[in-house]
Each structure stands twice: as structure tokens, then as C-alpha cells.
Amino acid sequence: MEEKRKRNLFPTILIITIPLMIIILVIIFFGIKNNNLHLANNINDTGVNWDKYEGQEIVLSGSGKKVISAAGVYTLSGELSDGYVEVNTTGAVKLILNGVSITNNSGPAIYVAEAKLVTVETAAGSENVLMDGAIYSGWDEDVCATLFSHDDMVLQGSGTLTVNGNFEDGI
């Protein structure tokens, strides 16, 4: 009797176990897509004294590349219709996005070539949009995101940042 009961449970166990295993494998191989993204990292910029830098305002307009080549705090506003902001310095840089719209049809909207640390902060109450192109032309293979950094990057602020990743990754 005991053995017959065990045999009767076996199909029930299979019916429950197999779908669970399939669900777990799908999650492992394909991940879960979620439009409500919460970013957390263990990098912070508390070791940087941002007060020692004189803040600079950059109003973006037109198209083309805008290069930041010195450490400091930069407040960006305005619109680049086909271009990008490049950070290329050995120091720390804070980019405060205060109502920017940056579209690059052939690469990232913000590209950090080199920096000790980059902090991207959205100004309170601001709405900011970054968009890259569906095809990257003239970039190294590893450059693959709308907001791309070769070095450590911190995202912070209470403003809104919409990242439209058309090539591979958003950030």
C-alpha cells in the first residue's frame, strides 16, 4: 500500500517540478525585463570634494561633439540634435543635467573616454532625455550604450532622466 501511494505521488511531483524548472531556466537565460529600473551600485562620490571646483554652465545647441577636458562640475542645459558630450580627463567630473536633450544618430549621447570618476546628477525638477543611434559608426566595439563610461560612474539626483537605447544598452 505504501509503495502504491509513492507511485501515485510521482506524477504529481513531476507536474509541479517540471514547470518550475522551466520558469527558473527561462529567468536565468533570458532575464526579466522591467521598465521600472532601479539602479544600485557600491560606487559613491563622497570622497570627492565638489566644492573645490568652480561650477561651469554649458548650454548645448546645434550638433557636434562637446568635449569636457578638465576636472570639475558642469551644469548642462539645452539641446544637441545630432551630437554628444565627451568627458576626457584624468580628474573627477560631475555632470549636472538641467533640462538637456541629447541625440546622437551614430553613437552615445554621453561618452566618458576617461575620468577618475564621473557623477551624472539630474537637477531637481528637471527633465532630461538622452538618445543614441541604432547603428554606431566610428566607435570602438566596447562602446555600446547611450550613456557610456569606460570608468566608474555614479548616477544621482531627483530630476527625471529618460534614456532611449536604440543600439544595445541604455547605460
Side-chain angles (χ1 to χ4, degrees), residues 86-133:
E86 177 179 314
V87 176
N88 196 348
T89 179
T90 57
V93 171
K94 179 182 269 193
L95 300 176
I96 301 172
L97 306 182
N98 191 13
V100 298
S101 176
I102 304 172
T103 299
N104 186 357
N105 296 324
S106 60
I110 296 178
Y111 170 64
V112 180
E114 182 178 1
K116 179 179 176 183
L117 170 76
V118 171
T119 297
V120 177
E121 179 179 319
T122 55
S126 68
E127 293 187 19
N128 306 280
V129 179
L130 304 177
M131 184 183 307
D132 68 348

Side-chain angles (χ1 to χ4, degrees), residues 36-116:
N36 298 320
L37 179 64
H38 172 73
L39 298 174
N41 62 45
N42 60 358
I43 303 168
N44 64 53
D45 67 355
T46 56
V48 178
N49 179 7
W50 296 113
D51 293 334
K52 76 178 185 177
Y53 298 104
E54 183 177 328
Q56 297 182 46
E57 304 258 341
I58 298 175
V59 178
L60 303 173
S61 65
S63 60
K65 174 170 71 169
K66 311 301 181 202
V67 179
I68 295 173
S69 58
V73 178
Y74 299 86
T75 300
L76 306 177
S77 62
E79 179 179 349
L80 279 179
S81 59
D82 186 15
Y84 63 99
V85 174
E86 177 179 314
V87 176
N88 196 348
T89 179
T90 57
V93 171
K94 179 182 269 193
L95 300 176
I96 301 172
L97 306 182
N98 191 13
V100 298
S101 176
I102 304 172
T103 299
N104 186 357
N105 296 324
S106 60
I110 296 178
Y111 170 64
V112 180
E114 182 178 1
K116 179 179 176 183

Side-chain angles (χ1 to χ4, degrees), residues 18-35:
I18 290 175
L20 286 174
M21 289 173 48
I22 291 171
I23 291 169
I24 290 170
L25 288 173
V26 167
I27 290 171
I28 289 171
F29 287 108
F30 298 105
I32 295 176
K33 303 243 183 219
N34 185 346
N35 290 331

Side-chain angles (χ1 to χ4, degrees), residues 1-14:
M1 189 75 141
E2 181 79 23
E3 192 172 310
K4 188 175 183 181
R5 193 182 284 163
K6 284 182 183 176
R7 274 189 262 148
N8 288 341
L9 286 176
F10 185 71
T12 305
I13 292 172
L14 282 178

